[in-house]
Amino acid sequence: MANTPDYSWPPEDKRKVIGTSPQRLDGPQKSSGRAKYSSDMNPKGMLFGLYLTSPYAYARLKSIDTGEAERSPGVRAVHVAAKAGTEMPWQGFEIAAVAADTEEQARDAVRKIKVEYEVLPHLVKDDDLAKAGTRARQGGETVTGDPDQAMKDAEVVSEGQYGFAVVTHCCLEPHGQVVQWVPGNDPSGANDHVTVWPSTQNVSGYAGSLGTNIKVPATNIKVRMDYIGGGFGSKFTPDAWGVVGANLSKQAGGRPVKLYLERSTELMIAGNRPSAYGKITVAGKKDGTITAWTYQGWGSGGFTPVPPPDQPYIFTRVPNSRRNRTGIALNGGSQRAWRAPGNQAASFLTCCAIEDFAHKAGKDPLEVFKLNAQYAPEARVDTYRFQLDKAAELAEWKTLWHPRGEGGGGTVKRGMGIGVAAWNGLGHASQCRAVINTDGSVSIEIDSQDLGTGTKTIITQVAAETFGLALNQVKLVIGNNDLPPDGGSGGSTTVGGVSTSTRKATVNALDKLFAAVAPDLGATPDQLEAVDAHIRVKGSPNKSLTWVAACRKLTSSISEMGTYNGRQQDTAGLATGGAAGAQIADVSVDTETGIVKMNRYVAVQDCGMVINPRLAESQVYGAVIMGISTALFEERIMDQETGKYLNPDMEFYKLAGIADIGNIVVHMDIRPENDKRGVIGLGEPPAVPICAAVSNAVANAIGVRVPQIPLTPDRVLAALERRNA
Amino acid sequence: MSSKKDPELPVQPKSGFSRRGFIRGVGIGSGVLGTTGLLPKEAAAAPGAAVVGPGPVAMTLTINGKPVNLTAEPRVTLLDAMRNYLDLTGAKRVCDRGTCGACTVLINGKSVYSCTTLAIDAQGKKIETIEGLPVNNPVSAAFVNHDGQQCGYCTPGFVMAAHGFLREHPNPTEADVEHGLCGNLCRCGTYMGVRKAVVEAAKGMKGGSNG
Ligand code: FES
Ligand code: FES
């Protein structure tokens, strides 16, 4: 009998489903508009909820009167979230919500809520550290080696200042949920029942978190989510609106309530990527070797001061450095994780500073990045060098790159720039149940979610691979908290988690099937294999049973779990962490208008064993496009005079459109040495270096650094003016 | 990033109600303190227009070839009428102000942002929504084929915009597609697949019906 089952992935040449690119399984439902997102749910008797939020950057709530709103036509419930005396430290802060029969009635009622505010002094801008005053919190100094001496000894020293704007997630499906809280007959809430259709990146964690807040046992909370319209790190908890929506439902006698944030509120409070600014000095030798690094960094993640990430990024073994970091308390919505939290800012600051140093040293930045890759974590040094060369080859660096500022004779200048990325991406803890029924049907059950990354498809691929079945012979159920728990989809942890638990569950289930049918095939279980919808004796293909015939021999269904605890040592080699990537931007800049146009963007990325290359490629495209959008267009624009967020709508908070992205070339670095590492998450790593690469390309094109992203025409023109002055 | 679509119906609204009257601005200078209504006065009817509302009125919309009745206030957009009153949820509410295209439907054959169209003004017109197309219509199928979708929230809008676009541009290049669909936004970054999908869909639709 098999002792410890062999969970390892089949060798590359034996794989039939893993490594192939079937279409996204839920694609037809989505592209035909049939997919029902939580925000599409209209359960019977549903009410429409709407928030009243604070119009001020910073205010204290003096009084609130909801009487008129409560009497407004159609209103079934009013919930006050901010009582008198509440300090509201950002615009968009939730004050109260109403639920009414129609959305129009809810809007009318919200306007009838009377609020008196005491306006407090605000700070909404953080680009100038000197103006932060008492809002600045020093994070202390870190010193490595002897930076002062190294600076003195240096042959080349370059200095620069770089800024990275607050951007907002702007998930197309807004934050919110449909929720129904049916009160029971026990005042403690023990008999209350809640059904909720949230838009969440963490279906498994939702009930526990909501239950704690509304004092209903998680066992009485049903969470259901088939589709989600984007999260990107901003949708991990039920949030205040989950709790408020539930309360509205309860107050309305248990009618379901749909409460989604309006776009303006969404842009203010439902996701802010922290800003980061840095004054950086890089010192080194004429050959481009970096010897010292100093960094004074500041930034803000909202009212709680969060310092920007440490420096240098990836090149962490630079021998001498001095780093200071300061967080600023701003009157802006709180930070939320953004696809590779901290890493984008860190990569931006580091790669811009290295490019400036290369220019100062008179060297090709490609060579300078490769040379200083010696300071990357030891195991990745060669990977970075390989990937930089590969990216350079695909971007035609050798023919197209030119020294800074020599981007052609006309008014449109071409330039190229580099950025690098690192991410862990080890899978999260995950449990999966695999069921093989006596009629041969198979189901895989796991309380995960598919953010559009392709999770449903890859789980199904893993199961089909193990069972030797076609994809359509495997039924997958996710997004339902009655199923075995999975983790939240963040940090690129989903694919490693679900592929590991699914592989374990399916191998366990298959072993049970082998044990049941081995006697019929005159073999021992370990001599059997599942191939092409047959169970057969290895080496004797004619001693076999069809999958269905084999399952018919079962006296009852097989139900087996696969459990992965989310630690490296528990993966059985199925998954690991540690991805690297190198990217190159190729842009044209119109020096008369300041407009930056993307020509081509090359992304070289490793992510271990790739389950579905097409979906992997889509992830990289998506990450790059989102990055181009933040490099060129996106910014939360605040006005210090009034404290207002000036662009909380999608007209002035700009996202890149289909004509803004140029051509994108993706190279998945699937060399055998990467494949054998197992599965590594891919959502974040390719999203890291775009702002860096694009900013470097613009500097290369026009001969001067545009210090702040996004690289809007006015900033490009201002930088050109400074250069010409 | 300008839109290639008419944000309003080409015809003057018969009811005299305008979108402007009920946009709920929280943006620049709205100064709403949550106490005063900024809207009712602005909703005054244009001279000579028949006054309906402000209460709910009966309307009939012709959606995907069938007449559908509903009772809603005249300020209700076509998008909200579909999503909130008719359970037609393929069109999505994303920006709700004519920027993103997630709410795109065809009216009299032209793609229109349903969030900037009043339901009451869409009466008597031919409204086509994604629900009226078969699941495997050539455009939707091409989006699957080229993985032109991730979360998929923008996709029904893209698919409808592509249908409208292809009726007028049956032989587009990828560059034409970029131009024709720049009134739709995607947050997941699916544009690479979208470009290819629309070109392929055009080929698939040659000589055939529009799905
Ligand atoms: S929701 Fe109508 S254009 Fe965005
Ligand atoms: S696929 Fe997610 S917004 Fe387009």
Side-chain angles (χ1 to χ4, degrees):
Chain A
M1 282 302 297
N3 306 318
T4 312
D6 179 9
Y7 296 122
S8 60
W9 298 120
E12 265 188 275
D13 57 344
K14 287 263 161 57
R15 295 176 201 156
K16 301 233 161 164
V17 194
I18 287 175
T20 66
S21 293
Q23 290 167 344
R24 189 181 288 276
L25 291 178
D26 55 5
Q29 289 301 303
K30 287 179 176 173
S31 72
S32 64
R34 274 31 171 211
K36 286 280 182 189
Y37 295 76
S38 303
S39 51
D40 296 333
M41 293 297 160
N42 289 319
K44 206 163 171 284
M46 187 183 79
L47 304 171
F48 292 85
L50 192 67
Y51 261 127
L52 170 69
T53 63
S54 171
Y56 294 109
Y58 198 10
R60 186 176 293 120
L61 192 142
K62 276 166 63 181
S63 72
I64 178 162
D65 175 2
T66 58
E68 206 190 322
E70 281 159 34
R71 293 186 295 275
S72 193
V75 170
R76 307 288 169 174
V78 178
H79 180 85
V80 175
K83 309 253 177 323
T86 305
E87 267 194 24
M88 303 182 293
W90 52 79
Q91 188 188 0
F93 192 94
E94 308 96 307
I95 295 173
V98 304
D101 291 342
T102 70
E103 199 168 16
E104 296 72 40
Q105 290 170 330
R107 278 181 202 141
D108 290 346
V110 159
R111 284 198 291 272
K112 292 175 186 163
I113 300 174
K114 295 189 182 65
V115 179
E116 286 182 306
Y117 303 91
E118 177 192 349
V119 178
L120 303 171
H122 60 251
L123 178 73
V124 296
K125 288 183 88 73
D126 60 356
D127 50 341
D128 188 349
L129 181 57
K131 290 188 182 151
T134 55
R135 295 292 192 91
R137 307 287 144 85
Q138 256 289 341
E141 182 170 272
T142 317
V143 177
T144 310
D146 188 346
D148 298 328
Q149 190 58 44
M151 285 285 166
K152 269 189 216 134
D153 297 343
E155 295 165 345
V156 182
V157 177
S158 84
E159 288 175 41
Q161 180 172 326
Y162 315 94
F164 185 82
V166 170
V167 297
T168 69
H169 296 64
C170 197
C171 309
L172 290 202
E173 180 180 38
H175 287 240
Q177 68 291 311
V178 177
V179 57
Q180 179 166 28
W181 181 354
V182 182
N185 54 10
D186 185 333
S188 76
N191 294 340
D192 292 7
H193 283 90
V194 176
T195 306
V196 56
W197 296 267
S199 182
T200 183
Q201 294 176 236
N202 188 357
V203 179
S204 282
Y206 195 94
S209 177
L210 180 66
T212 309
N213 278 293
I214 64 171
K215 309 221 162 24
V216 172
T219 46
N220 292 11
I221 301 178
K222 283 191 189 307
V223 187
R224 300 290 183 265
M225 187 187 80
D226 289 336
Y227 297 93
I228 173 174
F232 312 110
S234 69
K235 290 181 177 168
F236 283 114
T237 74
D239 274 307
W241 33 94
V243 177
V244 169
N247 275 295
L248 287 170
S249 169
K250 187 185 187 191
Q251 282 175 44
R255 286 176 68 175
V257 171
K258 180 180 275 189
L259 177 61
Y260 280 80
L261 299 187
E262 294 200 286
R263 183 55 57 184
S264 52
T265 309
E266 158 97 13
L267 289 175
M268 289 178 197
I269 67 173
N272 290 280
R273 182 183 74 177
S275 60
Y277 299 85
K279 287 190 172 125
I280 295 175
T281 308
V282 183
K285 301 186 202 157
K286 277 194 203 129
D287 70 353
T289 307
I290 295 170
T291 55
W293 191 285
T294 68
Y295 168 51
Q296 187 191 12
W298 69 95
S300 178
F303 200 58
T304 311
V306 182
D310 204 359
Q311 287 286 293
Y313 179 64
I314 295 178
F315 305 88
T316 48
R317 295 188 294 160
V318 166
N320 307 291
S321 64
R322 167 173 286 114
R323 295 109 66 194
N324 284 286
R325 296 188 289 153
T326 302
I328 300 176
L330 271 197
N331 297 107
S334 298
Q335 67 163 352
R336 285 176 190 236
W338 173 289
R339 209 165 181 175
N343 281 244
Q344 301 183 344
S347 173
F348 170 75
L349 295 172
T350 291
C351 297
C352 289
I354 291 180
E355 155 81 34
D356 284 353
F357 172 74
H359 165 62
K360 197 79 187 278
K363 293 281 171 202
D364 177 346
L366 175 67
E367 298 309 322
V368 174
F369 272 94
K370 276 166 58 188
L371 183 63
N372 291 292
Q374 62 177 306
Y375 298 133
E378 216 164 326
R380 313 300 285 154
V381 172
D382 291 341
T383 307
Y384 281 115
R385 288 184 175 147
F386 173 88
Q387 292 186 344
L388 283 161
D389 277 332
K390 189 76 205 172
E393 176 197 323
L394 294 168
E396 299 173 88
W397 182 275
K398 292 253 146 62
T399 35
L400 295 176
W401 183 82
H402 54 75
R404 184 179 283 193
E406 295 172 20
T411 53
V412 177
K413 311 284 187 187
R414 189 165 180 180
M416 300 176 90
I418 294 171
V420 288
W423 189 254
N424 185 292
L426 176 64
H428 57 218
S430 177
Q431 296 182 38
C432 173
R433 183 187 299 123
V435 178
I436 302 174
N437 294 305
T438 51
D439 63 353
S441 62
V442 164
S443 68
I444 301 297
E445 301 169 356
I446 178 167
D447 188 18
S448 193
Q449 51 277 320
D450 186 339
L451 273 56
T453 48
T455 307
K456 289 175 189 164
T457 311
I458 60 103
I459 293 173
T460 310
Q461 284 185 260
V462 168
E465 179 76 52
T466 307
F467 291 147
L469 296 174
L471 290 179
N472 62 9
Q473 292 172 287
V474 176
K475 183 184 167 201
L476 173 68
V477 203
I478 68 169
N480 174 332
N481 70 328
D482 294 338
L483 306 175
D486 185 52
S489 287
S492 302
T493 58
T494 305
V495 66
V498 299
S499 61
T500 300
S501 64
T502 304
R503 176 70 175 168
K504 288 185 171 181
T506 50
V507 167
N508 290 341
L510 186 64
D511 278 358
K512 283 272 158 70
L513 181 62
F514 284 166
V517 302
D520 292 284
L521 288 166
T524 56
D526 60 324
Q527 291 172 323
L528 300 184
E529 61 182 0
V531 185
D532 297 336
H534 283 75
I535 305 296
R536 67 185 194 197
V537 180
K538 286 179 206 162
S540 322
N542 44 10
K543 284 173 77 179
S544 75
L545 284 166
T546 66
W547 174 267
V548 173
C551 295
R552 288 225 173 95
K553 307 229 173 264
L554 295 169
T555 47
S556 64
S557 296
I558 294 169
S559 171
E560 284 293 312
M561 293 295 297
T563 300
Y564 165 48
N565 293 319
R567 295 186 299 260
Q568 181 84 46
Q569 61 268 35
D570 299 330
T571 65
L574 296 170
T576 187
Q583 302 184 358
I584 293 179
D586 173 347
V587 306
S588 288
V589 185
D590 186 326
T591 53
E592 290 184 322
T593 63
I595 291 173
V596 178
K597 187 173 143 286
M598 301 302 302
N599 297 322
R600 178 164 56 185
Y601 197 95
V602 171
V604 175
Q605 184 64 53
D606 86 71
C607 73
M609 185 187 88
V610 179
I611 295 173
N612 184 320
R614 183 214 308 250
L615 295 180
E617 196 173 82
S618 285
Q619 278 294 289
V620 183
Y621 283 144
V624 167
I625 290 168
M626 199 173 196
I628 290 171
S629 189
T630 56
L632 297 184
F633 305 115
E634 293 183 44
E635 180 174 19
R636 180 184 78 179
I637 303 172
M638 306 297 283
D639 176 40
Q640 177 54 28
E641 203 55 33
T642 59
K644 296 272 186 203
Y645 186 151
L646 295 177
N647 57 336
D649 59 65
M650 291 177 66
E651 206 169 339
F652 295 102
Y653 185 92
K654 291 189 188 301
L655 302 182
I658 192 168
D660 298 320
I661 58 167
N663 186 30
I664 298 166
V665 178
V666 174
H667 176 82
M668 295 306 296
D669 180 7
I670 324 183
R671 288 172 291 159
E673 58 261 53
N674 285 329
D675 183 89
K676 71 166 191 267
R677 300 174 68 207
V679 175
I680 305 176
L682 184 62
E684 345 265 313
V688 170
I690 299 104
C691 292
V694 173
S695 179
N696 282 340
V698 170
N700 179 246
I702 64 173
V704 61
R705 171 70 58 188
V706 182
Q708 171 138 6
I709 58 133
L711 299 153
T712 51
D714 58 318
R715 290 196 175 117
V716 171
L717 292 177
L720 281 166
E721 228 161 77
R722 276 196 303 277
R723 183 195 67 178
N724 299 337
Chain B
M1 285 182 290
S2 65
S3 160
K4 287 287 169 284
K5 287 178 199 153
D6 296 334
E8 301 269 351
L9 282 175
V11 192
Q12 193 63 26
K14 267 196 234 100
S15 64
F17 283 93
S18 76
R19 169 71 175 160
R20 200 163 54 86
F22 59 92
I23 284 181
R24 309 166 300 291
V26 197
I28 311 163
S30 79
V32 186
L33 303 192
T35 52
T36 50
L38 45 70
L39 311 175
K41 278 157 266 150
E42 289 188 40
V51 176
V52 290
V57 295
M59 325 178 185
T60 305
L61 300 173
T62 309
I63 301 184
N64 302 324
K66 290 195 198 86
V68 202
N69 299 318
L70 73 151
T71 303
E73 293 180 40
R75 59 175 153 165
V76 171
T77 61
L78 175 59
L79 175 64
D80 289 352
M82 293 189 301
R83 292 182 58 82
N84 294 351
Y85 292 81
L86 303 172
D87 202 26
L88 290 171
T89 57
K92 306 296 187 220
R93 192 164 88 190
V94 170
C95 70
D96 206 18
R97 57 186 290 160
T99 308
C100 74
C103 63
T104 304
V105 299
L106 304 185
I107 296 188
N108 292 344
K110 292 224 183 298
S111 54
V112 167
Y113 293 145
S114 64
C115 70
T116 47
T117 304
L118 292 175
I120 197 167
D121 283 326
Q123 294 183 103
K125 292 173 183 148
K126 198 175 146 218
I127 304 165
E128 291 170 76
T129 76
I130 192 143
E131 288 86 356
L133 299 173
V135 171
N136 63 348
N137 71 82
V139 177
S140 297
F143 270 68
V144 177
N145 205 19
H146 290 281
D147 210 30
Q149 50 181 352
Q150 288 190 29
C151 82
Y153 209 71
C154 68
T155 312
F158 265 104
V159 168
M160 291 312 291
H163 271 281
F165 168 73
L166 290 173
R167 283 184 197 174
E168 286 174 19
H169 305 86
N171 299 300
T173 61
E174 285 194 24
D176 297 335
V177 173
E178 279 191 9
H179 195 66
L181 292 190
C182 68
N184 289 66
L185 294 172
C186 171
R187 186 41 148 170
C188 298
T190 58
Y191 301 134
M192 296 292 287
V194 171
R195 283 178 192 157
K196 293 199 171 64
V198 177
V199 170
E200 181 196 273
K203 291 188 187 126
M205 283 158 72
K206 286 287 151 53
S209 81
N210 211 350

